[in-house]
């Protein structure tokens, strides 16, 4: 169990934490959220002892192990498998558990052939994956993961999601992928205004509570100011009258006792829209029978690919890393040429391209403002400054040189450059890598509102589910165009590695021992047992969820009453309603804990039945 008490941390005049307190209970999997630069990674460093707090204590039990995903690359073994096995816990009975390492490596995108390769042969992204495999296999009491999906493709992210759902010890995870976080965590903890707030449930619930509390704070502050003004007016009006001296003195004492709430400062977030260019036709571009390979004699990354891009299309390019997604986008943009076939652009096509490597095209000696201005001849300083402000480079930040910017800040400059020129086709190559959750939400809204076509490379299932209506799928050694949403793709086709995992075939021995009739009987028996076991659990889960939903409606109703009481300055009603809301929230927290235990039990038993069915070559 991790306990943090009275934590304080500042860098110069910027305070990150002010008297922060929280407890992490056994088995909790916490999603840590907050704006970029608000202290998420700093908290990890303090838990690991890499940085010291200015004040406060971080307590961990004796013999409590902490594992974290390190971006520091340092390998000592000559093969990937040997390096991974270094992190295996020591087995008391001497059993070889290297199979655990192999399973995790394959889940994270390594092939069996990769096991005997030297780690130094791999790209930086795959070396970070090896570090991730090492920390997962070490089975620490507390797992700290800071942006673990940054170097993963969508297939590996889906595998990691399933792995972390089954994690039985404690975990704190930082990620900009809201769907991924919510799918693997039991609790959400937010860094907000230098404080920490922790709740049971998903990110949306936390943000709703914060918004609700801040609305109440502001309503109460306005009500208090109105009351204070009335009291001050009474004092000033009757101060000179001897007959009112007693009443005036009473008001003065009451004024001194009145607590003054500060006005909450605005927290900046990206809030932008893309500028659309008119397009009179129907088709923006056509890719006809295109093929591409980097070296002659090598198998092409894709071959015979055809797609027509319409002016309102929302196309997502998905698949494992290194299979050609970025290359495909470069071909569509006209920055590279296919070996066979052709990419034909409509004469009225205007492209805005956000590329992974385009950061390198920024001039390190230019300021942010100059980079924005130089994007388009019609962009004057006033327009550039406005875009700088939208992208959170307000004031003197706009005259910072590109050379001193972080990777995330450079990405914001690139996004800002996209806003300058009107376009009717957006090509976006993983644009969310350096954005926080609020900024990603703003980007999704801007894409949805854009009056033009969009082609986006992403591994975020949140974006896929919100945006994509067509897919270009790199999977199984080929590239296919899928006409439909991402969920329809999962339902009708699915990823090759997941199809293989679900299609367990019976062994020869099982084929000999069971005839078809016996197999049908066994299947029926297993399904009956599953229904008897999972049915009651599903009922209990549904009951808890319904009760939570009803209680949350009660909280919403009582909170509205609290706002009204605050406006009236009704102290007695405020006190009663605050207690009622606290009691309701406490009950909701308890129900969430019960729901978590029931869901964990249900998932474990469902997995057990699934494995038994797969082991016999049967489908559930």
């Amino acid at each position: 169990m991790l306990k943090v008490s009275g934590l304080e941390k500042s860098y110069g005049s910027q305070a990150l934490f002010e008297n922060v307190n929280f407890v992490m209970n056994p088995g909790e999997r916490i999603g840590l959220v907050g704006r970029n630069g608000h202290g998420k990674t700093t908290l990890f460093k303090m838990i690991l002892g890499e940085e010291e707090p200015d004040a406060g204590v971080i307590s961990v039990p004796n013999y409590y192990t902490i594992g974290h995903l390190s971006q520091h690359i340092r390998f000592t073994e000559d093969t990937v498998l040997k390096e991974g096995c270094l992190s295996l816990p020591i087995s008391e009975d001497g059993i070889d558990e290297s199979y655990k390492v192999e399973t995790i490596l394959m889940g994270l995108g390594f092939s069996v052939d990769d096991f005997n390769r030297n780690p130094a042969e791999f790209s930086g992204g795959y070396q970070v994956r090896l570090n991730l495999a090492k920390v997962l296999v070490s089975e620490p009491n507390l797992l700290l993961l800071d942006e673990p999906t940054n170097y993963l493709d969508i297939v590996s992210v889906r595998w990691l999601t399933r792995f972390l759902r089954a994690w039985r010890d404690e975990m704190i995870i930082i990620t900009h992928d809201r769907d991924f976080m919510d799918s693997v965590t039991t609790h959400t903890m937010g860094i907000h205004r230098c404080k920490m707030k922790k709740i049971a449930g998903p990110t949306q619930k936390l943000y709703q509570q914060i918004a609700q509390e801040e609305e109440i704070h502001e309503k109460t502050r306005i009500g208090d100011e109105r009351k204070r003004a009335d009291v001050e007016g009474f004092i000033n009006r009757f101060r000179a009258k001897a007959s009112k001296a007693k009443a005036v003195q009473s008001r003065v004492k009451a004024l001194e006792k009145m607590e003054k709430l500060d006005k909450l400062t605005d927290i900046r977030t990206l809030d932008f829209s893309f500028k659309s260019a008119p397009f009179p036709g129907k088709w923006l571009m056509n890719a006809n029978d295109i093929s591409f390979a980097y070296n002659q004699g090598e198998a092409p990354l894709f071959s015979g690919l055809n797609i027509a891009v319409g002016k309102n299309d929302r196309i997502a390019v998905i698949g494992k890393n290194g299979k050609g997604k970025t290359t495909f986008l470069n071909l569509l943009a006209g920055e590279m040429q296919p070996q066979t076939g052709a990419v034909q652009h409509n004469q009225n096509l205007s492209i805005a391209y956000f590329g992974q490597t385009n950061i390198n095209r920024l001039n390190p000696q230019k300021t942010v403002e100059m980079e924005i201005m130089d994007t388009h001849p019609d962009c004057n300083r006033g327009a550039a400054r406005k875009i700088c402000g939208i992208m959170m480079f307000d004031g003197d930040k706009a005259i910072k040189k590109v050379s001193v910017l972080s990777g995330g800040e450079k990405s914001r400059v690139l996004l800002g450059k996209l806003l300058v020129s009107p376009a009717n086709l957006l090509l976006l190559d993983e644009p969310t890598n350096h954005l926080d959750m609020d900024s990603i939400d703003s980007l999704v809204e801007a894409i949805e509102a854009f009056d033009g076509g969009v082609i986006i490379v992403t591994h975020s299932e949140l974006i896929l589910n919100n945006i994509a209506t067509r897919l270009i799928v790199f999977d199984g050694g080929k590239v296919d165009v899928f006409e439909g949403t991402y969920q329809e793709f999962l339902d009708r086709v699915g990823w090759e590695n997941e199809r293989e995992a679900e299609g367990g075939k019976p062994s020869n021995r099982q084929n000999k021992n069971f005839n078809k009739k016996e197999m049908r009987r066994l299947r029926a028996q297993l399904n009956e047992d599953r229904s008897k076991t999972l049915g009651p659990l599903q009922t209990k889960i549904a009951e808890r969820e319904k009760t939570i939903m009803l209680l949350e409606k009660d909280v919403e109703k009582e909170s509205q009453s609290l706002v009204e009481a605050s406006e009236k300055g009704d102290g007695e009603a405020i006190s009663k309603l605050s207690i009622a809301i606290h009691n309701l929230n406490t009950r909701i927290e308890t129900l969430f804990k019960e729901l978590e235990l029931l869901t964990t039990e249900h998932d474990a038993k469902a997995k057990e039945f699934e494995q038994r069915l797969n082991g016999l070559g049967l489908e559930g």
Side-chain angles (χ1 to χ4, degrees), residues 247-301:
V248 167
Q249 194 59 35
S250 174
R251 297 294 199 286
V252 169
K253 288 180 179 177
L255 190 63
E256 289 172 350
K257 290 179 182 178
M258 286 178 69
E259 182 182 358
K260 189 170 183 179
L261 295 176
D262 293 327
K263 181 176 174 61
L264 297 175
T265 57
D266 291 333
I267 297 177
R268 297 286 308 280
T269 190
L270 297 188
D271 183 17
F272 59 90
S273 60
F274 296 106
K275 192 182 293 184
S276 60
F279 187 80
K282 182 179 181 182
W283 300 104
L284 296 163
M285 68 164 62
N286 285 279
N288 299 312
D289 198 31
I290 61 171
S291 303
F292 185 86
Y294 276 101
N295 297 305
Q296 194 170 5
E298 284 186 358
L301 292 172

Side-chain angles (χ1 to χ4, degrees), residues 210-225:
I210 289 173
Q212 191 177 72
E213 289 168 4
E214 297 211 333
E215 182 182 2
I216 291 170
H217 175 100
E218 191 62 13
K219 295 277 188 182
T220 305
R221 184 189 67 79
I222 292 170
D224 286 354
E225 283 191 353

Side-chain angles (χ1 to χ4, degrees), residues 140-161:
N141 299 114
L142 171 60
L143 179 62
L144 301 179
L145 297 178
D146 190 350
E147 300 290 3
T149 65
N150 265 7
Y151 295 96
L152 300 183
D153 52 54
I154 190 169
V155 177
S156 299
V157 170
R158 287 174 63 81
W159 177 88
L160 183 61
T161 300

Side-chain angles (χ1 to χ4, degrees), residues 154-155 158 316-320 461 464-465 468-476 478-499:
I154 190 169
V155 177
R158 287 174 63 81
V317 185
I318 58 176
K320 291 185 176 181
E461 294 192 325
L464 291 172
N465 288 322
T469 54
R470 302 175 74 196
L471 305 173
I472 299 172
V473 185
F474 286 68
D475 191 37
K478 60 184 188 301
V479 184
D480 292 313
V481 177
F482 181 84
E483 301 293 343
T485 65
Y486 180 62
Q487 188 57 53
E488 288 170 339
F489 164 74
L490 293 177
D491 292 341
R492 286 156 46 188
V493 182
W495 295 103
E496 183 184 60
N497 70 317
E498 294 177 11
R499 292 198 304 269

Side-chain angles (χ1 to χ4, degrees), residues 12 17 59 89 105 110 126 171 176 255 271 275 464 468 478 494 506-507 510 524 585 594 604:
F17 304 120
S59 305
L105 287 171
F110 290 89
Y126 268 86
M171 177 178 75
H176 59 261
L255 190 63
D271 183 17
K275 192 182 293 184
L464 291 172
K478 60 184 188 301
S507 67
Q510 288 171 330
N585 280 326
E594 292 176 10

